Amino acid sequence: MNSEQNENAGVYSQAGFTSATALSAAANHIMNSPEPFTHTYRTYVRLRENGSLTLKFWHSNAVDSTWNMGEEAAASEPGGEWSIEAAYVADGGAVPDGTVAAGSQVPFTFAGEASRLVKPGEKFWSDEALLELPEGHYLAFTWTLKADAGKSVPFNVEGMLVSGYDAPGNLAAQETAGAFSVSDKLQVLPSFLGYKKEVAKKLVFLGDSITQGVRTAKDEYAYWAARIAEGLGTEYGLWNIGSGWGRAYDVATEGAWLHKTRQGDEVLIVLGVNDLDIGQRSAEELLQDLAHIIAKIKEARPEVSIILSTVPPFNFEGERETAWRRVNESILTNPPAGVNRVFDIAAVLSVPAPADHRIKPEYMSDEFDPHPNGHAGKAVAEAFLAWYA
């Protein structure tokens, strides 16, 4: 077995688990503390199913996508050495207020141990945890992490899509909200939170902040990936690995983010906005990166079905608009080898031609921000579900 097969086996080793949530926990930043720290993070997550759950998490200690131009965090950068001091899942109640239901905390263990040292770039599974979660209640995931000074824990720094709280010290076992503060742009979660369930098909959604759902309302799951998950129903697994600032050339570095795509039976790719924008890539460079990503996914798992989306409109002008048009024309008329289907997200979001490089004003997060809002999420999900059937 070669190194890549070994790496894949580490994720495939627990058959029967699928993503428990449509929330993305991809990492686009890394903690870089001037001092050693011990800190607790509590996050409230809406699961795709509640009730009697067998949960398990998998984690990749690496940055997925580049933040800004990579000055602080770059794609495929390994996390530092740090430790999990304690980790719990609990009934977070109907309101995510920093507390958990009394007596509901269930510890995650690691080969039977309550704590675990995490090595740079490491991928690992927790043991199973059994939780009874009432309908309409959030899952609360809490863990205390400890690290030395310097770079340590990868996390997601984009605007919070779910309620989170954090506090100094080892407070993972605490049921109350005492000492916790509302987290600001600090989502610290395992890469994959799964539950034991056999599904008809596992889908992976790979994209940037538009796939992640950035700028949509907190705790509402109004972005299109979450709405598609709801529309498909729980017989389909859906792992959202959208990451703010993400770009195709990040995935093409063949690091942790690409590795995650190989866990689906079907992969939807919605990338290109940041390549053309902050990345200043040409149309040809972006198309080459997309082709490379698809070839690598197919090389690892030839049976995987690839859905390639057009690049969403982002109000580009000048050379970037020209590149955007060239890329989308190529995707629609001559997609890269290995693409099974093409979904035209741009057609859903764009104003009519000839200004179709612009997103419909009613779909913008605000008058200046072309990130799609919850109304756009609904439109895209409805279009996708009708097309996908």
Side-chain angles (χ1 to χ4, degrees):
M1 183 178 288
N2 63 34
S3 60
E4 181 174 80
Q5 290 171 326
N6 253 322
E7 182 179 80
N8 284 339
V11 176
Y12 292 131
S13 62
Q14 296 299 326
F17 280 77
T18 192
S19 179
T21 180
L23 175 72
S24 174
N28 61 10
H29 217 280
I30 190 167
M31 295 182 190
N32 191 358
S33 174
E35 303 289 342
F37 68 87
T38 300
H39 209 87
T40 301
Y41 307 90
R42 175 169 289 167
T43 309
Y44 292 80
V45 181
R46 183 190 298 172
L47 300 189
R48 299 196 64 204
E49 289 191 78
N50 287 19
S52 298
L53 302 167
T54 301
L55 299 162
K56 193 167 190 174
F57 77 76
W58 173 85
H59 193 58
S60 166
N61 185 24
V63 176
D64 292 308
S65 68
T66 299
W67 179 256
N68 199 6
M69 289 304 294
E71 302 91 340
E72 298 178 66
S76 303
E77 178 180 357
E81 183 172 287
W82 46 279
S83 64
I84 302 169
E85 299 295 284
Y88 294 88
V89 281
D91 175 2
V95 179
D97 60 3
T99 68
V100 300
S104 70
Q105 292 254 69
V106 178
F108 273 120
T109 58
F110 309 91
E113 300 294 327
S115 61
R116 192 186 196 284
L117 180 66
V118 180
K119 296 291 188 179
E122 185 180 10
K123 300 176 178 70
F124 63 93
W125 281 97
S126 73
D127 298 329
E128 294 180 4
L130 307 179
L131 178 70
E132 186 71 33
L133 188 63
E135 290 298 324
H137 284 208
Y138 291 93
L139 176 137
F141 178 88
T142 312
W143 57 354
T144 296
L145 309 182
K146 182 179 181 181
D148 291 329
K151 290 193 173 185
S152 57
V153 183
F155 69 103
N156 196 283
V157 74
E158 274 285 9
M160 296 289 284
L161 289 170
V162 294
S163 292
Y165 297 80
D166 63 275
N170 189 341
L171 302 181
Q174 181 179 294
E175 295 178 339
T176 68
F180 280 92
S181 301
V182 174
S183 300
D184 180 30
K185 297 184 179 180
L186 187 67
Q187 181 180 288
V188 188
L189 281 172
S191 303
F192 173 89
L193 179 63
Y195 73 124
K196 185 173 285 187
K197 183 178 178 68
E198 294 291 344
V199 293
K201 186 183 290 185
K202 291 184 178 180
L203 285 72
V204 174
F205 282 12
L206 169 67
D208 51 35
S209 58
I210 294 172
T211 302
Q212 184 181 346
V214 169
R215 307 289 189 271
T216 59
K218 183 185 287 188
D219 297 319
E220 290 193 9
Y221 295 77
Y223 44 95
W224 56 263
R227 291 181 184 271
I228 289 172
E230 184 176 0
L232 288 173
T234 56
E235 291 308 303
Y236 288 80
L238 192 148
W239 188 17
N240 182 0
I241 57 171
S243 185
W245 286 103
R247 52 215 84 169
Y249 66 77
D250 288 340
V251 192
T253 60
E254 301 185 32
W257 209 14
L258 177 64
H259 172 69
K260 291 177 181 180
T261 68
R262 296 167 180 163
Q263 316 320 317
D265 303 310
E266 197 160 57
V267 180
L268 170 64
I269 302 172
V270 190
L271 287 167
V273 166
N274 294 312
D275 297 80
L276 298 175
D277 190 12
I278 191 169
Q280 298 185 41
R281 305 286 273 182
S282 68
E284 291 71 24
E285 288 171 325
L286 173 53
L287 289 166
Q288 287 170 8
D289 286 335
L290 290 171
H292 181 76
I293 293 164
I294 292 160
K296 285 297 177 181
I297 295 172
K298 288 280 192 175
E299 180 182 307
R301 295 190 65 201
E303 73 278 13
V304 171
S305 179
I306 301 293
I307 301 172
L308 180 61
S309 171
T310 51
V311 181
F314 214 69
N315 296 354
F316 292 133
E317 301 288 349
E319 292 181 358
R320 291 175 183 174
E321 178 195 341
T322 300
W324 176 85
R325 291 186 181 280
R326 187 176 302 166
V327 169
N328 279 352
E329 180 183 8
S330 181
I331 289 172
L332 290 168
T333 62
N334 185 31
V339 171
N340 298 91
R341 301 178 74 185
V342 171
F343 175 61
D344 192 0
I345 194 173
V348 181
L349 297 174
S350 294
V351 303
D356 48 332
H357 61 293
R358 303 191 67 82
I359 184 172
K360 294 176 181 177
E362 63 269 29
Y363 288 164
M364 291 175 61
S365 297
D366 61 41
E367 61 179 315
F368 304 109
D369 187 346
H371 278 90
N373 57 24
H375 299 298
K378 182 174 185 292
V380 170
E382 288 177 348
F384 181 90
L385 291 166
W387 169 87
Y388 186 76

